[in-house]
């Protein structure tokens, strides 16, 4: 995609998200491996600016789940409603009218990895608290039924030897799957 069409696509997206507003700045976010991730700052018609993130999932994710953008949007809606500290979903589109591939827009959450926190104990307690909130979620809720189960993902990883989507023969695969049946995922402790 050339620079002009890239700019035009994000300008069109801005008009959809904030009619009468304009795009201020667009820049790539580095580090993702399963999606092309781009940040954008837009100004609404009232002059208020906001930063957003556009996620365009890669081929492997789309082949595994053609609805991956919609599923991520739905999950973020549910997690936001539960006051989880996640980006808020803003927009999802698979029409091909703005970008050729499905995409998701979420709020931008500023931050950097901190590999050497000043107060490691407090840092780890905060992390443990957030992980505890995640693990307390009732994943058997009907509104989460669109998500794959750990058992499904584990079986697929075993069957494809790493999840690249290419089946490879595994000695005793039937015996492995039989042993996992009823024992996967491991029991959760409350």
């Amino acid at each position: 995609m050339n620079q002009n069409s890239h700019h035009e696509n994000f300008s069109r997206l801005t008009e959809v998200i904030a009619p009468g507003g304009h795009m201020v700045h667009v820049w790539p976010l580095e580090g993702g491996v399963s999606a092309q991730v781009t940040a954008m700052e837009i100004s609404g018609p009232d002059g208020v600016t906001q930063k957003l993130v556009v996620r365009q999932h890669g081929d492997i994710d789309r082949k595994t789940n053609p609805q991956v953008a919609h599923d991520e949007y739905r999950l973020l809606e549910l997690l936001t409603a539960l006051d989880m500290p996640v980006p808020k979903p803003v927009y999802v589109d698979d029409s091909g009218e703005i970008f050729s591939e499905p995409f998701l827009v979420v709020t931008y959450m500023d931050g950097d990895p901190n590999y050497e926190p000043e107060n490691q104990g407090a840092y780890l307690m905060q992390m443990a608290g957030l992980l505890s909130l995640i693990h307390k979620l009732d994943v058997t809720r009907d509104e989460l039924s669109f998500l794959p189960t750990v058992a499904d993902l584990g079986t697929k990883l075993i069957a494809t030897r790493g999840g690249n989507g290419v089946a490879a023969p595994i000695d005793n695969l039937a015996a492995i799957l039989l042993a996992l049946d009823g024992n996967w995922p491991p029991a959760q402790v409350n």
Side-chain angles (χ1 to χ4, degrees), residues 6-19 23 26 38 40 42 52-55 90-93 97-99 103-105:
H6 180 72
H7 186 276
E8 182 180 314
N9 289 347
F10 282 95
S11 292
R12 289 172 51 209
L13 177 58
T14 300
E15 185 59 35
V16 169
I17 293 171
M23 181 182 63
V26 174
T38 307
M40 63 187 295
I42 65 173
L52 302 169
V53 173
V54 179
R55 287 183 44 85
V90 175
Y91 185 72
V92 64
D93 185 5
E97 293 178 14
I98 297 175
F99 297 107
F103 66 94
L104 166 75
V105 180

Side-chain angles (χ1 to χ4, degrees), residues 65-113:
N65 177 5
Q67 297 297 315
V68 66
H70 284 276
D71 286 354
E72 184 174 343
Y73 186 92
R74 285 175 60 195
L75 179 60
L76 289 172
E77 279 183 318
L78 292 167
L79 294 174
T80 298
L82 294 171
D83 292 325
M84 297 297 284
V86 297
K88 292 173 180 49
V90 175
Y91 185 72
V92 64
D93 185 5
D94 62 2
S95 69
E97 293 178 14
I98 297 175
F99 297 107
S100 59
E101 303 297 344
F103 66 94
L104 166 75
V105 180
V106 298
T107 55
Y108 180 91
M109 295 181 76
D110 199 16
D112 289 308

Side-chain angles (χ1 to χ4, degrees), residues 14-162:
T14 300
E15 185 59 35
V16 169
I17 293 171
H22 68 277
M23 181 182 63
V24 176
H25 181 57
V26 174
W27 66 100
L29 291 177
E30 303 297 325
V33 294
S34 65
Q36 178 181 334
V37 184
T38 307
M40 63 187 295
E41 184 175 3
I42 65 173
S43 178
D46 55 3
V48 174
T49 61
Q50 68 176 348
K51 290 181 183 176
L52 302 169
V53 173
V54 179
R55 287 183 44 85
Q56 297 169 282
H57 294 87
D59 291 339
I60 293 173
D61 284 350
R62 289 192 319 273
K63 285 178 185 171
T64 302
N65 177 5
Q67 297 297 315
V68 66
H70 284 276
D71 286 354
E72 184 174 343
Y73 186 92
R74 285 175 60 195
L75 179 60
L76 289 172
E77 279 183 318
L78 292 167
L79 294 174
T80 298
L82 294 171
D83 292 325
M84 297 297 284
V86 297
K88 292 173 180 49
V90 175
Y91 185 72
V92 64
D93 185 5
D94 62 2
S95 69
E97 293 178 14
I98 297 175
F99 297 107
S100 59
E101 303 297 344
F103 66 94
L104 166 75
V105 180
V106 298
T107 55
Y108 180 91
M109 295 181 76
D110 199 16
D112 289 308
N114 185 354
Y115 300 111
E116 296 181 21
E118 287 183 31
N119 185 337
Q120 190 174 32
Y123 184 83
L124 292 173
M125 288 302 291
Q126 180 183 14
M127 184 187 310
L130 290 173
L131 287 171
S132 175
L133 286 176
I134 292 168
H135 286 278
K136 286 181 182 177
L137 291 175
D138 179 7
V139 295
T140 62
R141 296 165 51 148
D142 286 341
E143 64 262 28
L144 294 174
S145 64
F146 65 95
L147 294 174
T149 66
V150 173
D152 294 340
L153 293 173
T155 300
K156 183 173 182 169
L157 285 172
I158 291 168
T160 61
R161 288 195 179 183

